[in-house]
Amino acid sequence: MIILKGAEVSAKIRDQVHELLKELDGKIPRLAIVRVGEKPDDLSYERGAIKKITAFGMEARSYAFPEDVDNEEFQKEFRKINEDPEVSGILLLKPLPDRICQEDLDRIIDPSKDLDGISPVNIAKVFAGDGSGFAPCTAEAVVETLKAYEIPIAGKRAVIVGRSMVVGKPLAMLLMKEHATVTVCHTRTVDLPGTCRNGEILVAAAGRAKMIGRDHTGPGAVVIDVGINVGEDGKLCGDVDLEAIEDIGSMATPVPGGVGAVTTAVLARHLALAAVRTKTGSGR
């Protein structure tokens, strides 16, 4: 089985970012990472995003708020970040504490700065197949990985395990835009293993460690693992039991070192693109 490493895909996206930056006449785009609390997952993603954005020649700044910040105060501060002309793009780390109204923030965020596709405007554009909006970075990273390795999408049966607005639903739209035939699975799917085995492209985005194994993988399937979990041994792992499927699938992404690296690269491209659109007034 061929292992699809994210670093190679990230390098191709880096070249695209550098071309975009040439259009800015030396202006350095700034990413605002907005975080509430000190959750390990958030801190890990923040570190990775800052490292990638910096490596791509741009700036990233963390705006951290205490876990007990109230809704009114947080929204007030978020509006300031949102309206700051020096901020080219915003990444809001979720989930947020229950006391903070996520729906309000989704509506408040400037769609042109919404790099991870949480605004209703960007969501609508993704579902309409309008490329002028920003799709969620992880969903877009899956498609980027398939394209970078020249894996055919058009006409293929794609099965997605997971129906979140972060990955499952927007990814279904992105894959259909590429002319795949898409099935979205979830906890109430009857015969989940059988449905998964039908996928020529199988995307695991359920958030459960190593839940996808031999019974879920069809012969020759391309398996894309979006999950990031901590296994029973305390080590980072994905939703796919890679060892269990190594003699069945044709290709698969590892965890770590797979889609995660591509996700932060897509975030960087969105940041550069947001800055270029602001400068030129274009919607490309």
Side-chain angles (χ1 to χ4, degrees):
M1 184 169 65
I2 298 171
I3 300 299
L4 309 175
K5 296 182 179 179
E8 297 180 25
V9 186
S10 179
K12 294 181 179 181
I13 296 175
R14 181 186 61 216
D15 293 340
Q16 297 169 6
V17 170
H18 287 169
E19 289 301 310
L20 287 168
L21 293 179
K22 291 178 182 178
E23 301 183 39
L24 295 176
D25 301 323
K27 178 178 172 58
I28 305 299
R30 179 193 296 173
L31 170 66
I33 302 176
V34 183
R35 168 171 53 82
V36 177
E38 305 283 335
K39 294 188 290 293
D41 289 352
D42 285 352
L43 292 171
S44 176
Y45 187 65
E46 180 182 288
R47 286 192 296 268
I50 291 174
K51 182 178 179 181
K52 185 65 63 75
I53 294 296
T54 304
F56 279 24
M58 296 178 288
E59 180 186 350
R61 184 176 299 179
S62 175
Y63 295 78
F65 296 87
E67 181 71 29
D68 60 355
V69 65
D70 66 50
N71 185 56
E72 183 178 355
E73 178 65 18
F74 183 73
Q75 288 198 22
K76 176 183 175 183
E77 294 302 318
F78 186 81
R79 288 179 187 274
K80 290 180 182 178
I81 299 167
N82 194 45
E83 296 167 4
D84 185 347
E86 295 302 314
V87 171
S88 305
I90 298 171
L91 174 65
L92 176 61
L93 299 182
K94 299 185 291 183
L96 296 167
D98 291 340
R99 77 179 71 84
I100 296 176
C101 183
Q102 177 66 58
E103 291 77 11
D104 285 348
L105 297 169
D106 293 347
R107 289 189 292 267
I108 290 170
I109 193 169
D110 182 344
S112 68
K113 296 183 178 183
D114 168 32
L115 304 188
D116 205 23
I118 65 173
S119 162
V121 173
N122 282 325
I123 292 170
K125 287 184 175 183
V126 171
F127 276 70
D130 182 347
S132 68
F134 290 119
C137 295
T138 302
E140 190 171 321
V142 172
V143 177
E144 285 294 326
T145 300
L146 294 170
K147 288 183 175 181
Y149 281 99
E150 300 182 347
I151 297 166
I153 303 174
K156 298 298 182 179
R157 299 186 305 275
V159 175
I160 304 168
V161 183
R163 54 178 171 176
S164 74
M165 285 301 297
V166 177
V167 184
K169 290 178 181 177
L171 176 57
M173 297 301 108
L174 295 178
L175 288 173
M176 282 194 284
K177 186 178 180 181
E178 299 294 331
H179 310 295
T181 299
V182 182
T183 300
V184 179
C185 300
H186 47 79
T187 54
R188 297 191 182 183
T189 298
V190 176
D191 187 18
L192 178 62
T195 303
C196 289
R197 284 197 302 273
N198 190 51
E200 296 167 286
I201 299 171
L202 175 60
V203 182
R208 293 178 56 187
K210 298 185 179 182
M211 72 166 288
I212 301 298
R214 296 182 67 86
D215 292 344
H216 302 79
T217 308
V222 175
V223 183
I224 307 295
D225 192 351
V226 176
I228 299 178
N229 313 283
V230 177
E232 294 179 357
D233 58 1
K235 296 181 179 179
L236 201 64
C237 67
D239 288 359
V240 178
D241 187 342
L242 202 57
E243 292 183 1
I245 70 165
E246 62 183 356
D247 62 338
I248 304 175
S250 61
M251 303 178 184
T253 59
V255 176
V259 174
V262 185
T263 297
T264 51
V266 168
L267 175 67
R269 184 172 64 191
H270 283 183
L271 178 62
L273 188 54
V276 169
R277 287 174 175 173
T278 298
K279 178 178 183 293
T280 62
S282 67
R284 65 188 174 119

